[in-house]
Amino acid sequence: MKTIVGGLLCILACSTAIADGDAAVGKSKTLLCSGCHTRDGNSKNPEYPVLASQGQAYMVKQILDFKSGARKEMHMTPLVEAISNADIPDITAYFSSQMRKQNSAPPPTSDLGKQIFLSGNSAKPVSPCSGCHGEDGKGNAVLKFPSLAGQHADYIVKMLKEFRSGTRSNDKNALMRNIAMDLDDKEIEALAAFITAMR
Ligand code: HEC
Ligand code: HEC
């Protein structure tokens, strides 16, 4: 059902969402970002999330949330002061248009992550991640569900633990906090191992 709704919304809004911002102009404004996220957004250091091919509207929301203080982090919080609001559409259009490179993560050693990602855990209950982030983990650009596939495992673990503890609380209607609070450390590690190896 969610996929059908997402599809319909996309037919109505996708073209306008993608047209917002000029990727070529954005490229010239990313020097400041490249020290951590690299020039094309395929960061190598697992502390810095991959931005390449991330949904544009999701990234706009994150930058505005760092600016307002709704999301806090020691690298990004001081840095966003240097990004002018007028440049945000171009910069995010640029990173969103870059191909996400395959990482060298090994295949997961258990099926636990895949199971929760695709089917959830009815005992707790945990909803399937795929309901919002897609079966391929590429998210939903219009609904601002971030792309996860191929993201650094360490970053996925950090985010799931921060949603669980409430340190990250910029998810609307506590969508992620309500899910993460029912995940234990073992499940978080298994999910991250599965997600980072998704292509
Ligand atoms: C000093 C290192 C550093 C620099 C420079 C930097 N970032 Fe980041 N960025 C980070 C870190 C670390 C995070 C993850 C924050 C967290 O753990 O919550 C992040 C997160 C983000 C996110 C959220 C990603 C997600 O998946 O939620 C966006 C968007 C982003 N950065 C954009 C930018 C842009 C645009 C620039 C340049 C104008 C930039 N960053 C420069 C370190 C940096
Ligand atoms: C009901 C929809 C929904 C479901 C189900 C869901 N998520 Fe999310 N997820 C979101 C939204 C929305 C965000 C972005 C929140 C924001 O706006 O900052 C998010 C963000 C995330 C992030 C942070 C990504 C980044 O780049 O910073 C991770 C990691 C994540 N989800 C993992 C999961 C996992 C693992 C599951 C399954 C156990 C899951 N999600 C289930 C909606 C969902």
Side-chain angles (χ1 to χ4, degrees):
M1 181 60 198
K2 275 188 186 113
T3 327
I4 299 168
V5 174
L8 281 175
L9 281 173
C10 193
I11 290 164
L12 296 172
C14 261
S15 52
T16 48
I18 291 161
D20 191 14
D22 185 327
V25 174
K27 185 177 183 186
S28 66
K29 297 174 178 167
T30 54
L31 196 61
L32 178 63
C33 323
S34 61
C36 296
H37 296 286
T38 77
R39 210 60 211 270
D40 66 358
N42 283 292
S43 78
K44 297 195 176 64
N45 183 329
E47 258 185 71
Y48 308 137
V50 172
L51 303 181
S53 152
Q54 185 54 277
Q56 187 191 3
Y58 168 77
M59 287 194 283
V60 170
K61 176 183 182 290
Q62 299 312 306
I63 293 171
L64 295 176
D65 284 353
F66 283 123
K67 276 186 183 259
S68 72
R71 182 174 174 185
K72 293 192 186 79
E73 194 273 333
M74 63 180 201
H75 300 85
M76 283 301 292
T77 297
L79 190 132
V80 286
E81 283 173 31
I83 314 177
S84 83
N85 283 352
D87 288 343
I88 296 175
D90 296 336
I91 293 176
T92 50
Y94 169 69
F95 283 124
S96 191
S97 72
Q98 296 304 295
M99 285 265 295
R100 191 168 288 199
K101 287 187 187 141
Q102 281 194 12
N103 62 28
S104 53
T109 49
S110 87
D111 275 345
L112 180 63
K114 181 180 184 179
Q115 240 171 50
I116 302 173
F117 195 92
L118 297 175
S119 314
N121 180 352
S122 54
K124 290 211 183 173
V126 172
S127 320
C129 319
S130 55
C132 294
H133 295 284
E135 274 185 24
D136 58 3
K138 296 208 161 100
N140 182 312
V142 175
L143 299 182
K144 299 184 205 148
F145 298 146
S147 168
L148 305 177
Q151 183 58 271
H152 296 301
D154 289 1
Y155 175 75
I156 299 285
V157 168
K158 179 172 184 258
M159 287 306 108
L160 290 174
K161 289 187 174 170
E162 287 192 1
F163 282 126
R164 186 174 65 185
S165 67
T167 307
R168 178 167 170 185
S169 59
N170 67 327
D171 51 328
K172 221 169 162 187
N173 304 324
L175 280 183
M176 276 310 298
R177 277 170 287 166
N178 285 335
I179 290 169
M181 78 187 181
D182 288 318
L183 295 173
D184 63 30
D185 286 0
K186 190 176 154 228
E187 291 165 330
I188 287 180
E189 296 288 343
L191 279 161
F194 173 69
I195 288 168
T196 197
M198 285 177 105
R199 303 285 176 245

